[in-house]
Amino acid sequence: MIKIKHALSVLIVVTALAACGSAEATGNAEVTELRYQGSAGFVTFPELAQELGYLPGIKLTWVGDTTSGPQDIQSAATGQTDFGGAFNGAIIKLKAAKSPIKAVIGYYGSDEKSFSGYYVTENSPIRTARDLIGKKIGVNTLGAHHEAVIKEYLKREGLTPEEIKQVELVVVPPVNTEQAVRQGQVEVGTLGGILKDKALERGGLRPLFTDVGLFGPFTAGSVVLREDFIAKNPTTVKTFVAGFAKAVEWTQTHSKEEVVAKFKEIIAKRGRNEDAAAVQYWKGSGVAGKGGVIADREFQTWIDWLQREGEIQPGQVKLADLFTNEFNPHANGSA
């Protein structure tokens, strides 16, 4: 369930705006209504947690949908929402811009069942990384998960920085990526999750490489909260993260059929005029850690990448400032 999620470039003004928004504690009372962005035709872990009764005393308020992780966490950072999720590299970049956010739980990743692939047509002459020089690759957004994976692939395959710059990344909405590849608008398309499965079902495409092939199973994205929100609402945060973790574990320990049935039930019940047909292709979230526990390497990998790309300076961000497993009951085995 790769959410498949604007560029890492973020404005420093988010720091000044971080405390804005209605979801702040008043006096000693903790906030119990959490605003969030969802995903059309899909069910997020908080939504699943709410349906399963894992968020006692918390009300979720949907304020719209997003298809971009960087935009989602910027909304949380500026107080337009109370939590948001994105690729861990985007979180690092936002933190480097002095935004007071902290990741609290992993929510998507890649494994053998759920991963992102970079696809060409079956008759494409592109067979190696070097064949990509001067070609276009369609991605859902710049500066996030897919750009990081693509550049890592090119580097590992021996392309120089100058050659890598000649591989053009083009923003293509995920729902249009398959068509863009088949019609030759881009030579390579990034496909993941349900859209990938539907495209492969139609045939005529083959993978050039995959993210799980490069990195092995890993959690790629996390949900963030503002640090001031965490400080003012520790009980709410603990309940939210624990319920989120239980929802992750629920999908990890139940059959695909049970998960898909529950997703369809939730989509039908919430009445957003959505098509739930695509959820039948769900195979898993790809979250590596039990209950979404975050591992150091799931941020350190992208710190190293961003430093190598010159996006951040050595020592500009520290692991301890980026995430915490404090509120996840699976972190100490007490779940």
Coordinates of all heavy atoms in Angstrom, one line a residue, residues 231-281:
A231 N 3.8 16.8 23.0 CA 4.1 17.2 24.4 C 2.8 17.6 25.2 O 2.6 17.3 26.4 CB 5.0 18.5 24.4
K232 N 1.8 18.2 24.4 CA 0.6 18.6 25.1 C -0.5 17.5 25.2 O -1.4 17.6 26.0 CB 0.0 19.8 24.3 CG 0.8 21.0 24.3 CD 0.2 22.1 23.4 CE 1.1 23.4 23.4 NZ 0.6 24.4 22.5
N233 N -0.3 16.4 24.4 CA -1.3 15.4 24.3 C -0.8 14.0 24.4 O -1.0 13.1 23.6 CB -2.1 15.5 23.0 CG -2.7 16.9 22.8 OD1 -3.8 17.2 23.4 ND2 -2.1 17.7 22.0
P234 N 0.0 13.7 25.5 CA 0.7 12.4 25.5 C -0.3 11.2 25.6 O 0.0 10.2 25.0 CB 1.5 12.6 26.8 CG 0.9 13.6 27.6 CD 0.3 14.6 26.6
T235 N -1.4 11.4 26.3 CA -2.3 10.3 26.4 C -3.0 10.0 25.1 O -3.1 8.8 24.7 CB -3.4 10.5 27.5 OG1 -2.7 10.8 28.8 CG2 -4.3 9.4 27.7
T236 N -3.4 11.0 24.4 CA -4.0 10.9 23.1 C -3.0 10.3 22.1 O -3.4 9.4 21.4 CB -4.5 12.3 22.6 OG1 -5.5 12.8 23.4 CG2 -5.0 12.1 21.2
V237 N -1.8 10.7 22.2 CA -0.8 10.2 21.2 C -0.5 8.7 21.5 O -0.5 7.9 20.6 CB 0.5 11.0 21.4 CG1 1.6 10.3 20.6 CG2 0.3 12.4 20.9
K238 N -0.5 8.4 22.8 CA -0.3 7.0 23.2 C -1.4 6.1 22.7 O -1.2 5.0 22.1 CB -0.1 6.8 24.7 CG 0.2 5.4 25.1 CD 0.4 5.3 26.6 CE 0.7 3.9 27.1 NZ 1.0 3.8 28.5
T239 N -2.7 6.6 22.9 CA -3.8 5.8 22.4 C -3.8 5.7 20.9 O -4.1 4.6 20.3 CB -5.1 6.5 22.9 OG1 -5.1 6.6 24.3 CG2 -6.3 5.7 22.4
F240 N -3.5 6.8 20.2 CA -3.5 6.8 18.7 C -2.5 5.9 18.2 O -2.8 5.1 17.3 CB -3.2 8.3 18.3 CG -3.0 8.4 16.8 CD1 -4.1 8.2 15.9 CD2 -1.7 8.6 16.3 CE1 -3.8 8.3 14.5 CE2 -1.5 8.7 14.9 CZ -2.6 8.6 14.0
V241 N -1.2 6.0 18.7 CA -0.2 5.1 18.1 C -0.4 3.6 18.4 O -0.2 2.8 17.6 CB 1.2 5.6 18.6 CG1 2.3 4.6 18.2 CG2 1.5 7.0 18.2
A242 N -0.9 3.4 19.7 CA -1.2 2.0 20.0 C -2.3 1.4 19.2 O -2.2 0.3 18.7 CB -1.6 1.9 21.5
G243 N -3.3 2.2 18.9 CA -4.4 1.7 18.0 C -3.9 1.5 16.6 O -4.3 0.6 15.9
F244 N -3.1 2.5 16.1 CA -2.5 2.4 14.8 C -1.7 1.1 14.7 O -1.8 0.3 13.7 CB -1.6 3.6 14.6 CG -1.2 3.9 13.2 CD1 -1.5 5.1 12.6 CD2 -0.5 2.9 12.4 CE1 -1.1 5.4 11.3 CE2 -0.1 3.2 11.1 CZ -0.4 4.5 10.6
A245 N -0.9 0.8 15.7 CA 0.0 -0.4 15.7 C -0.9 -1.6 15.7 O -0.5 -2.6 15.0 CB 0.9 -0.3 16.9
K246 N -2.0 -1.6 16.5 CA -2.8 -2.8 16.5 C -3.5 -3.0 15.1 O -3.7 -4.2 14.7 CB -3.9 -2.7 17.6 CG -3.4 -2.8 19.0 CD -4.5 -2.5 20.0 CE -5.5 -3.7 20.0 NZ -6.5 -3.5 21.1
A247 N -3.8 -1.9 14.4 CA -4.4 -2.1 13.1 C -3.3 -2.6 12.1 O -3.7 -3.5 11.2 CB -4.9 -0.7 12.6
V248 N -2.1 -2.2 12.2 CA -1.0 -2.7 11.4 C -0.9 -4.2 11.6 O -0.8 -5.0 10.7 CB 0.3 -2.0 11.6 CG1 1.5 -2.7 10.9 CG2 0.3 -0.5 11.2
E249 N -0.8 -4.6 12.9 CA -0.7 -6.0 13.3 C -1.9 -6.8 12.8 O -1.7 -7.9 12.4 CB -0.5 -6.1 14.8 CG -0.3 -7.6 15.2 CD -0.4 -7.7 16.7 OE1 -0.9 -6.9 17.4 OE2 0.2 -8.8 17.2
W250 N -3.1 -6.2 12.8 CA -4.3 -6.9 12.4 C -4.1 -7.3 10.9 O -4.5 -8.4 10.5 CB -5.5 -6.0 12.6 CG -6.8 -6.7 12.4 CD1 -7.5 -7.4 13.3 CD2 -7.6 -6.8 11.2 NE1 -8.7 -7.9 12.7 CE2 -8.7 -7.5 11.4 CE3 -7.4 -6.2 9.9 CZ2 -9.7 -7.8 10.5 CZ3 -8.4 -6.5 8.9 CH2 -9.5 -7.2 9.2
T251 N -3.6 -6.4 10.1 CA -3.5 -6.7 8.7 C -2.3 -7.7 8.5 O -2.3 -8.5 7.5 CB -3.2 -5.5 7.8 OG1 -1.9 -4.9 8.2 CG2 -4.3 -4.5 8.0
Q252 N -1.3 -7.7 9.4 CA -0.2 -8.6 9.3 C -0.6 -10.1 9.7 O 0.1 -11.0 9.4 CB 1.0 -8.1 10.1 CG 1.6 -6.9 9.6 CD 2.6 -6.3 10.6 OE1 2.5 -6.4 11.8 NE2 3.7 -5.6 10.0
T253 N -1.7 -10.2 10.5 CA -2.0 -11.5 11.0 C -3.4 -12.0 10.5 O -3.8 -13.1 11.0 CB -2.1 -11.4 12.6 OG1 -3.0 -10.4 13.0 CG2 -0.7 -11.1 13.1
H254 N -4.0 -11.3 9.6 CA -5.3 -11.8 9.1 C -5.1 -12.0 7.6 O -4.2 -11.5 6.9 CB -6.4 -10.8 9.3 CG -6.9 -10.8 10.7 ND1 -6.2 -10.3 11.8 CD2 -8.1 -11.2 11.2 CE1 -6.9 -10.4 12.9 NE2 -8.1 -10.9 12.6
S255 N -6.0 -12.8 7.0 CA -5.9 -13.2 5.6 C -6.2 -12.0 4.7 O -6.9 -11.1 5.1 CB -6.8 -14.3 5.3 OG -8.2 -13.9 5.4
K256 N -5.7 -12.1 3.5 CA -6.0 -11.1 2.5 C -7.5 -10.9 2.4 O -8.1 -9.8 2.3 CB -5.4 -11.4 1.2 CG -5.9 -10.5 0.0 CD -5.4 -11.0 -1.3 CE -6.0 -10.1 -2.4 NZ -5.6 -10.5 -3.8
E257 N -8.3 -12.0 2.4 CA -9.7 -12.0 2.2 C -10.4 -11.2 3.3 O -11.3 -10.4 3.1 CB -10.3 -13.4 2.1 CG -9.9 -14.2 0.8 CD -8.4 -14.6 0.8 OE1 -7.8 -14.7 1.9 OE2 -7.9 -14.8 -0.3
E258 N -9.9 -11.4 4.5 CA -10.5 -10.7 5.7 C -10.2 -9.2 5.6 O -11.1 -8.4 5.9 CB -10.0 -11.3 7.0 CG -10.5 -12.7 7.3 CD -9.8 -13.2 8.5 OE1 -8.6 -13.5 8.5 OE2 -10.5 -13.3 9.6
V259 N -9.0 -8.9 5.2 CA -8.6 -7.5 5.2 C -9.4 -6.8 4.1 O -9.9 -5.7 4.3 CB -7.1 -7.3 4.9 CG1 -6.7 -5.8 4.7 CG2 -6.3 -7.9 6.1
V260 N -9.5 -7.4 2.9 CA -10.2 -6.8 1.8 C -11.6 -6.6 2.1 O -12.2 -5.5 1.8 CB -10.0 -7.6 0.5 CG1 -11.0 -7.1 -0.6 CG2 -8.6 -7.5 0.0
A261 N -12.2 -7.6 2.7 CA -13.7 -7.5 3.1 C -13.9 -6.3 4.1 O -14.9 -5.6 3.9 CB -14.1 -8.8 3.7
K262 N -13.0 -6.1 5.0 CA -13.1 -5.0 6.0 C -12.9 -3.7 5.3 O -13.6 -2.7 5.6 CB -12.1 -5.2 7.1 CG -12.1 -4.2 8.2 CD -13.5 -4.1 8.9 CE -13.8 -5.4 9.7 NZ -15.1 -5.2 10.4
F263 N -12.0 -3.6 4.4 CA -11.7 -2.4 3.6 C -13.0 -2.0 2.9 O -13.4 -0.8 2.9 CB -10.6 -2.5 2.7 CG -9.2 -2.4 3.3 CD1 -8.1 -2.6 2.6 CD2 -9.1 -2.2 4.7 CE1 -6.8 -2.5 3.1 CE2 -7.8 -2.1 5.3 CZ -6.7 -2.3 4.5
K264 N -13.6 -2.9 2.2 CA -14.8 -2.6 1.4 C -15.9 -2.2 2.3 O -16.7 -1.3 1.9 CB -15.2 -3.9 0.6 CG -14.3 -4.2 -0.6 CD -14.8 -5.4 -1.3 CE -13.9 -5.7 -2.6 NZ -14.4 -6.9 -3.3
E265 N -16.0 -2.8 3.4 CA -17.1 -2.4 4.4 C -16.9 -1.0 4.9 O -17.8 -0.2 4.9 CB -17.0 -3.4 5.6 CG -18.0 -3.1 6.7 CD -17.8 -4.0 7.9 OE1 -17.3 -5.2 7.7 OE2 -18.1 -3.6 9.0
I266 N -15.6 -0.6 5.2 CA -15.3 0.8 5.6 C -15.6 1.8 4.5 O -16.2 2.8 4.8 CB -13.9 0.9 6.1 CG1 -13.7 0.0 7.3 CG2 -13.5 2.3 6.4 CD1 -12.2 -0.1 7.8
I267 N -15.2 1.5 3.3 CA -15.4 2.4 2.2 C -16.9 2.6 1.9 O -17.3 3.8 1.7 CB -14.7 1.9 0.9 CG1 -13.2 2.0 1.1 CG2 -15.1 2.7 -0.3 CD1 -12.4 1.3 0.0
A268 N -17.7 1.6 2.0 CA -19.1 1.7 1.8 C -19.8 2.5 2.9 O -20.7 3.3 2.6 CB -19.7 0.3 1.7
K269 N -19.3 2.3 4.1 CA -19.9 3.0 5.2 C -19.6 4.5 5.3 O -20.5 5.2 5.7 CB -19.4 2.3 6.5 CG -20.1 2.8 7.8 CD -19.5 2.1 9.0 CE -19.7 0.6 9.0 NZ -19.2 -0.1 10.3
R270 N -18.5 4.9 4.8 CA -18.1 6.3 5.0 C -18.7 7.2 4.0 O -18.7 8.4 4.1 CB -16.6 6.5 5.1 CG -15.9 6.2 3.8 CD -14.4 6.1 4.0 NE -13.6 5.9 2.8 CZ -12.3 5.6 2.8 NH1 -11.7 5.4 4.0 NH2 -11.6 5.4 1.7
G271 N -19.3 6.7 2.9 CA -20.1 7.5 2.0 C -19.4 8.6 1.3 O -19.9 9.7 1.2
R272 N -18.2 8.4 0.7 CA -17.5 9.4 0.0 C -17.6 9.3 -1.5 O -16.8 9.8 -2.3 CB -16.0 9.4 0.4 CG -15.7 9.6 1.9 CD -14.3 9.6 2.2 NE -14.0 9.6 3.6 CZ -12.8 9.3 4.1 NH1 -11.8 9.0 3.4 NH2 -12.6 9.3 5.5
N273 N -18.5 8.5 -2.0 CA -18.8 8.3 -3.4 C -17.5 7.8 -4.1 O -17.0 8.3 -5.1 CB -19.2 9.6 -4.1 CG -19.7 9.4 -5.5 OD1 -20.3 8.4 -5.8 ND2 -19.6 10.4 -6.3
E274 N -17.0 6.7 -3.5 CA -15.7 6.1 -4.0 C -16.0 4.7 -4.7 O -17.0 4.1 -4.4 CB -14.8 5.9 -2.9 CG -14.4 7.1 -2.1 CD -13.8 6.7 -0.7 OE1 -14.5 6.5 0.2 OE2 -12.6 6.7 -0.7
D275 N -15.1 4.3 -5.5 CA -15.1 3.0 -6.1 C -14.2 2.1 -5.2 O -13.0 2.3 -5.2 CB -14.6 3.0 -7.5 CG -14.7 1.7 -8.2 OD1 -15.1 0.7 -7.5 OD2 -14.4 1.6 -9.4
A276 N -14.7 1.1 -4.6 CA -13.9 0.2 -3.8 C -13.4 -1.0 -4.5 O -12.7 -1.9 -3.9 CB -14.8 -0.3 -2.6
A277 N -13.6 -1.1 -5.8 CA -13.2 -2.3 -6.6 C -11.7 -2.6 -6.5 O -11.3 -3.7 -6.5 CB -13.7 -2.2 -8.0
A278 N -10.9 -1.5 -6.5 CA -9.5 -1.7 -6.6 C -8.9 -2.4 -5.3 O -7.8 -3.0 -5.4 CB -8.8 -0.4 -6.8
V279 N -9.6 -2.3 -4.2 CA -9.0 -2.9 -3.0 C -8.9 -4.4 -3.0 O -8.1 -5.0 -2.2 CB -9.8 -2.5 -1.7 CG1 -9.7 -1.0 -1.5 CG2 -11.2 -3.0 -1.7
Q280 N -9.5 -5.0 -4.0 CA -9.4 -6.5 -4.1 C -8.0 -6.9 -4.5 O -7.6 -8.0 -4.3 CB -10.4 -7.0 -5.1 CG -10.1 -6.6 -6.6 CD -11.1 -7.0 -7.5 OE1 -11.6 -8.2 -7.5 NE2 -11.6 -6.2 -8.4
Y281 N -7.2 -5.9 -5.0 CA -5.8 -6.2 -5.4 C -4.8 -6.1 -4.2 O -3.6 -6.3 -4.3 CB -5.4 -5.3 -6.5 CG -6.1 -5.6 -7.8 CD1 -7.3 -4.9 -8.1 CD2 -5.6 -6.5 -8.7 CE1 -7.9 -5.1 -9.3 CE2 -6.2 -6.8 -9.9 CZ -7.4 -6.1 -10.2 OH -8.1 -6.3 -11.4

